[in-house]
Amino acid sequence: MPDTPSITREDVAHLARLARIDLPPESLDHYAEQLGVILGSVAQVAEVAAEDVPATSHPMPLVNVFREDVVRPCLTNEEALSGAPSVESERFRVPRILDEE
Amino acid sequence: MSTDTTEKVLPYDDVVASFDPVLGLEVHVELGTATKMFCGCPTTFGAAPNTQVCPTCLGLPGSLPVVNKVGVESAIRIGLALNCSIAEWCRFARKNYFYPDMPKNFQTSQYDEPIAYDGYLDVDVETDEGVKTFRIGIERAHMEEDTGKTTHQGGATGRIHGADYSLVDYNRAGIPLIEIVTKPIEGTGKYAPEVARAYVTALRELLRGLGVSDVKMEQGSLRCDANVSLRRTPSDTFGTRTETKNVNSLRSIERAVRYEMTRQAAVLEDGGSITQETRHWHEDTGITTSGRSKEEAEDYRYFPEPDLVPIAPSREWVEELRTSLPENPAVRRARLQQVWGISDLDMQTVLNAGALDVVEDTVAAGADQAAARKWWLGELARVANERGVELADLPITPAQVAGVEALVSEGTLNDKLARQVIEGVLAGEGEPDAVVASRGLAVVSDDGPLLAAIDEALAAQPDVADKIRGGKVQAAGAIVGAVMKATRGQADAGRVRALLLERLGVSE
Ligand SMILES: [Zn+2]
């Protein structure tokens, strides 16, 4: 078993803030442990991959898949907004975001 | 939130006496492609909200992005024009963040594999020792996509603080952007604000020449963020920097850099330290205010975009694109300066005003270079400044300016009337000829009405008439003035004077 990368309570709190998830403080240790296990599993895979196996970001060995710069039909405003929980003035209505701009 | 609107600043001379500024400029340019970067939605400015959207740019499940070939070509051409190396292989990356301006919760960008890197752009700045060339290093130019437009509702100010909710239009989300990042700009000393402005001016000129963007700062198709830091001496390590956003005119870039230098210097002189943060530029008050503390790069959890394959531009393709580049702007500037036969300083004035293209086009439309410069740097620069727009965006074309000037040279208009015609064209009254006709502005060239007006003026001021008859030719001004007034400026002052002297039988 490789060294399990450690995740601290503080790491979890920071990630929760970035993800805008309101985690109760008493759950931080719980998630730290779970995330540690996940990272440990990834570390095991990383150990199997030898130096000569490059990291991959796409399953297909393709490059340069392009599209011509030609306009295609869009959704109508009604279609675009049809799944929105809240709509106003032809726009998506979203809650105010605190402490950000 | 911070309301530090009354922050202390140090006088600029004191700043440059005690500190060495280092700049970093990030310019985002919206490409003028017909469609978005990863989908076929059109990019027309000003369309009704959420009508240029599709499942891909709305981030709906099951949709897949496909790269716009012209977007990549434009990025490579920009890189080449900036003397960059073009990556043989690069990828897009996801920049993860949670903010409703991107429905996907990430922005597709490039991270550690930009398509173009390590170039430079030379810019000229007027210094106490004459025009000096500063070489601005280009760190990278990378491809990404624009975000949607968020409007904050409720609250008093329309800004997010105090807003009750926000409305989002995703028409802009996914429009191709190229972000061009400089290396740290050192060695500018007190000219830092001017260098910053000259860089963006030169970059805009280069981009316009490439035809990749309409580079309209007031419409947001070219946007600049200015990083500024101070250190005591050039041998010190870089000081903590701030990043001022929302700087959307050439003049504002210069002002924002200068303001930020004076603000940081005051903090440092008081023994304080600079907070690394985003700051907002306020055009009206000419100051910056504190925004959020900058998220660290790792907070964006960049990773290679799994829905897109890498881009590997063949060297043949790159060389083919290189041959499509227009004349290098520096070469073009030198050529035009020589053709026009004007001094370094006059050329610099044209460049500083962002008037090179319009003056060139006005000359091409038949105007004399001096006249073309006079109109664009005088009357039209004044109007553009009043309206807060660029010269090229005034509702008058170089051909129309050349048309007005042609009417001046053929004697139909004098200077004063020509200004009224320009005013008419700007007001949307049509072509110069039409404005002359509808406003009845042609110079009175028939001597009959002029002679009548002269006689009337002489009768009204018999003492002046006597003086002139007695040889005091300089007194003629009073009569000429009265005639000009009587003809509401529509006479040629030189002609009035000649007729007057002839009438009184005196010579100059
Ligand atoms: Zn789309």
Side-chain angles (χ1 to χ4, degrees):
Chain A
M1 182 84 185
D3 286 347
T4 303
S6 64
I7 287 262
T8 64
R9 276 176 68 86
E10 289 68 36
D11 290 335
V12 176
H14 180 61
L15 286 169
R17 187 186 71 78
L18 291 175
R20 306 293 183 270
I21 299 171
D22 188 15
L23 283 188
E26 61 271 21
S27 69
L28 293 179
D29 286 327
H30 176 65
Y31 287 113
E33 195 186 321
Q34 285 193 353
L35 286 168
V37 170
I38 293 169
L39 284 187
S41 308
V42 174
Q44 266 182 309
V45 175
E47 206 168 70
V48 172
E51 287 290 313
D52 59 341
V53 181
T56 187
S57 61
H58 198 276
M60 306 293 281
L62 291 172
V63 294
N64 298 341
V65 176
F66 298 134
R67 165 179 72 74
E68 295 303 317
D69 186 24
V70 175
V71 173
R72 301 198 42 192
C74 299
L75 297 176
T76 63
N77 180 267
E78 294 70 32
E79 288 167 337
L81 297 171
S82 60
S86 182
V87 167
E88 186 178 313
S89 308
E90 302 170 313
R91 294 166 174 87
F92 293 84
R93 181 178 160 148
V94 298
R96 64 189 285 208
I97 313 300
L98 287 170
D99 306 323
E100 281 278 331
E101 185 180 16
Chain B
M1 112 174 242
S2 165
T3 50
D4 42 8
T5 50
T6 53
E7 282 187 89
K8 236 174 95 178
V9 294
L10 209 63
Y12 191 71
D13 287 345
D14 297 347
V15 176
V16 293
S18 309
F19 295 97
D20 179 52
V22 179
L23 305 179
L25 298 168
E26 293 172 21
V27 168
H28 286 86
V29 58
E30 254 185 26
L31 295 180
T33 50
T35 65
K36 294 185 179 182
M37 193 66 198
F38 305 112
C39 64
C41 290
T43 56
T44 318
F45 183 80
N50 296 303
T51 55
Q52 299 187 153
V53 290
C54 73
T56 300
C57 56
L58 285 178
L60 299 183
S63 62
L64 277 177
V66 187
V67 174
N68 183 337
K69 186 176 184 188
V70 176
V72 179
E73 275 178 358
S74 302
I76 295 174
R77 293 177 74 232
I78 290 169
L80 291 173
L82 290 170
N83 306 292
C84 287
S85 301
I86 304 302
E88 302 207 6
W89 191 89
C90 65
R91 289 179 295 191
F92 284 99
R94 288 188 181 184
K95 179 182 183 179
N96 298 279
Y97 68 96
F98 290 82
Y99 193 69
D101 63 0
M102 275 319 255
K104 302 183 288 190
N105 277 347
F106 64 84
Q107 180 188 29
T108 308
S109 180
Q110 292 194 287
Y111 182 44
D112 50 356
E113 299 166 2
I115 190 155
Y117 56 94
D118 199 18
Y120 64 85
L121 180 63
D122 287 335
V123 304
D124 290 339
V125 171
E126 201 185 310
T127 70
D128 296 341
E129 299 83 43
V131 174
K132 195 177 157 196
T133 301
F134 290 85
R135 173 155 293 188
I136 310 299
I138 304 295
E139 175 77 31
R140 55 190 282 153
H142 74 245
M143 299 178 282
E144 59 182 38
E145 59 181 333
D146 212 342
T147 58
K149 192 161 178 266
T150 315
T151 317
H152 306 302
Q153 301 291 309
T157 58
R159 293 183 73 83
I160 190 162
H161 300 299
D164 299 320
Y165 57 94
S166 303
L167 298 179
V168 198
D169 169 14
Y170 290 116
N171 281 351
R172 201 179 62 187
I175 290 184
L177 283 185
I178 305 296
E179 178 174 340
I180 300 161
V181 183
T182 66
K183 295 177 180 174
I185 304 169
E186 304 177 62
T188 58
K190 67 173 177 176
Y191 299 111
E194 287 87 356
V195 169
R197 178 184 182 147
Y199 167 73
V200 180
T201 307
L203 183 58
R204 197 177 59 147
E205 187 192 337
L206 178 143
L207 294 166
R208 188 183 282 138
L210 287 171
V212 292
S213 169
D214 62 10
V215 291
K216 289 188 175 168
M217 296 188 83
E218 78 287 355
Q219 284 185 7
S221 59
L222 189 127
R223 315 196 272 271
C224 180
D225 302 337
N227 290 277
V228 177
S229 69
L230 296 179
R231 56 186 172 183
R232 287 289 178 178
T233 72
S235 55
D236 289 353
T237 51
F238 296 155
T240 303
R241 68 173 196 275
T242 59
E243 179 178 17
T244 302
K245 299 237 180 218
N246 195 25
V247 194
N248 288 335
S249 76
L250 295 174
R251 188 165 151 263
S252 303
I253 290 162
E254 189 175 331
R255 289 171 71 206
V257 168
R258 182 173 286 115
Y259 174 81
E260 195 50 22
M261 284 169 66
T262 58
R263 186 194 68 84
Q264 290 188 14
V267 172
L268 294 169
E269 284 290 33
D270 278 357
S273 58
I274 304 301
T275 310
Q276 182 174 339
E277 62 183 354
T278 300
R279 297 187 67 87
H280 299 293
W281 168 249
H282 303 278
E283 183 73 51
D284 45 351
T285 48
I287 64 166
T288 67
T289 56
S290 173
R292 68 186 146 109
S293 297
K294 228 174 138 41
E295 284 183 43
E296 296 296 329
E298 63 185 38
D299 287 347
Y300 289 121
R301 292 151 293 140
Y302 283 99
F303 62 86
E305 168 59 67
D307 285 345
L308 293 168
V309 301
I311 292 173
S314 73
R315 296 301 96 177
E316 293 73 32
W317 189 26
V318 171
E319 288 316 308
E320 189 188 313
L321 291 171
R322 194 191 299 276
T323 60
S324 78
L325 296 183
E327 182 182 17
N328 174 300
V331 173
R332 172 170 169 242
R333 287 197 293 271
R335 176 175 60 80
L336 289 174
Q337 187 181 347
Q338 204 196 358
V339 172
W340 294 343
I342 62 176
S343 69
D344 283 357
L345 198 63
D346 283 345
M347 191 62 183
Q348 203 53 45
T349 311
V350 172
L351 295 172
N352 288 348
L356 192 66
D357 290 336
V358 288
V359 170
E360 186 188 19
D361 292 347
T362 305
V363 172
D368 172 58
Q369 60 84 13
R373 285 190 295 125
K374 183 194 78 180
W375 284 116
W376 288 107
L377 301 177
E379 185 71 5
L380 293 168
R382 187 184 61 73
V383 176
N385 197 34
E386 262 173 30
R387 299 187 182 183
V389 300
E390 304 297 334
L391 286 175
D393 300 323
L394 285 174
I396 186 168
T397 64
Q400 288 169 327
V401 174
V404 171
E405 187 52 32
L407 293 172
V408 172
S409 17
E410 72 183 35
T412 305
L413 299 177
N414 60 17
D415 234 46
K416 184 183 162 198
L417 294 176
R419 276 201 297 277
Q420 292 180 35
V421 176
I422 294 274
E423 183 190 298
V425 175
L426 287 170
E429 294 169 25
E431 293 298 315
D433 284 336
V435 177
V436 170
S438 65
R439 292 195 178 195
L441 290 178
V443 166
V444 178
S445 54
D446 181 356
D447 290 347
L450 289 185
L451 286 170
I454 287 169
D455 289 342
E456 213 169 288
L458 287 172
Q461 304 183 66
D463 48 329
V464 179
D466 286 342
K467 273 189 197 165
I468 302 171
R469 281 197 197 88
K472 287 209 161 164
V473 181
Q474 61 270 33
I479 303 295
V480 173
V483 172
M484 294 305 287
K485 200 172 167 192
T487 55
R488 300 194 320 280
Q490 300 199 18
D492 176 345
R495 182 69 193 146
V496 173
R497 188 181 171 87
L499 285 173
L500 168 65
L501 296 180
E502 198 183 301
R503 194 72 157 178
L504 298 177
V506 292
S507 54
E508 291 274 3

